[in-house]
Amino acid sequence: GENVEQHPSTLSVQEGDSAVIKCTYSDSASNYFPWYKQELGKRPQLIIDIRSNVGEKKDQRIAVTLNKTAKHFSLHITETQPEDSAVYFCAALSSASKIIFGSGTRLSIRP
Amino acid sequence: KAGVTQTPRYLIKTRGQQVTLSCSPISGHRSVSWYQQTPGQGLQFLFEYFSETQRNKGNFPGRFSGRQFSNSRSEMNVSTLELGDSALYLCASSLGGWGAYNEQFFGPGTRLTVL
């Protein structure tokens, strides 16, 4: 069935360094890939998304890249700050219009 | 504009009981989706309703059902509760459902504990 794998499950980086989270998807017809940030005890919030006809998208310190051939997409956070600490979820919208989430990455920023 | 609201926020039930959760979307949003979030399984899609019709369904047993009213408010029902149903249940609303031009806005969730 449709599947999204997300790595790593936990990530700790020094404040100011970059963080990269990677996801792979199984349905080659998936056409929309959002990323959500969920702070402790709070609801998930969309931070960036990308469509299948775009290879890269940036929004200030956050960027997402998509490789359709390899069926993987990545979240890049540069110049990390303490407020970036959260759980990040990738997701893929399958050809059956079902949204499949990755298992999440707990990002910790070390001061 | 008020955000997505869910009631109740916390619920404790015993095995075998049934439960109904409610979700009020952002005004003007016609799509409501439901998710189950657990530490072990992450975020899993339950179903989506659009204009009172179930448009999509995840891989959950028939004990999980839902409906949407004409004002777009949605309810989710779980019958014959099992211990494994303990989770945070999130709903999300959007104008038209999942897609690049329809941002999903999540509610705060209902924390269900089954004893």
Side-chain angles (χ1 to χ4, degrees):
Chain A
E2 299 129 339
N3 186 46
V4 173
E5 292 190 2
Q6 183 172 347
H7 298 282
S9 57
T10 60
L11 180 61
S12 178
V13 302
Q14 194 75 34
E15 182 178 349
D17 287 350
S18 295
V20 180
I21 302 170
K22 299 180 179 181
C23 290
T24 58
Y25 58 98
S26 59
D27 182 356
S28 57
S30 293
N31 57 14
Y32 175 63
F33 307 89
W35 284 88
Y36 282 84
K37 175 183 179 182
Q38 187 174 28
E39 296 177 55
L40 190 62
K42 296 192 175 179
R43 66 194 78 185
Q45 289 193 301
L46 179 72
I47 54 171
I48 196 166
D49 57 10
I50 192 167
R51 290 176 287 155
S52 57
N53 60 349
V54 176
E56 183 176 5
K57 184 177 178 180
K58 282 185 181 179
D59 183 4
Q60 300 183 343
R61 296 186 298 108
I62 294 173
V64 57
T65 58
L66 172 66
N67 183 327
K68 284 175 57 181
T69 304
K71 292 190 287 186
H72 70 68
F73 56 113
S74 301
L75 178 71
H76 305 253
I77 305 174
T78 58
E79 300 171 13
T80 53
Q81 300 169 6
E83 53 265 36
D84 295 329
S85 293
V87 178
Y88 291 81
F89 292 97
C90 64
L93 185 64
S94 75
S95 54
S97 295
K98 292 185 183 181
I99 192 72
I100 313 293
F101 286 90
S103 53
T105 295
R106 184 173 300 278
L107 175 63
S108 301
I109 308 301
R110 302 190 305 270
Chain B
K1 216 180 223 184
V4 180
T5 58
Q6 291 186 244
T7 56
R9 293 293 311 278
Y10 302 91
L11 208 46
I12 299 176
K13 292 285 188 178
T14 56
R15 278 181 299 174
Q17 287 187 307
Q18 69 141 24
V19 67
T20 299
L21 313 181
S22 180
C23 173
S24 292
I26 290 171
S27 178
H29 285 189
R30 295 167 66 187
S31 168
V32 174
S33 299
W34 288 89
Y35 307 87
Q36 182 192 67
Q37 185 172 30
T38 59
Q41 298 295 319
L43 263 171
Q44 291 191 292
F45 170 69
L46 280 154
F47 28 66
E48 182 209 357
Y49 285 87
F50 182 84
S51 292
E52 302 180 64
T53 301
Q54 187 182 87
R55 194 158 67 170
N56 224 324
K57 190 176 186 303
N59 300 322
F60 278 80
R63 299 186 298 107
F64 292 82
S65 63
R67 59 178 174 168
Q68 188 179 34
F69 301 95
S70 57
N71 62 357
S72 294
R73 188 178 71 86
S74 177
E75 287 183 347
M76 190 193 101
N77 184 276
V78 188
S79 62
T80 321
L81 284 166
E82 300 177 0
L83 295 178
D85 296 334
S86 294
L88 179 68
Y89 290 88
L90 293 159
C91 74
S93 78
S94 70
L95 285 169
W98 280 98
Y101 304 107
N102 287 295
E103 182 176 348
Q104 298 279 324
F105 293 87
F106 282 85
T110 293
R111 173 77 60 188
L112 172 64
T113 302
V114 182
L115 302 176

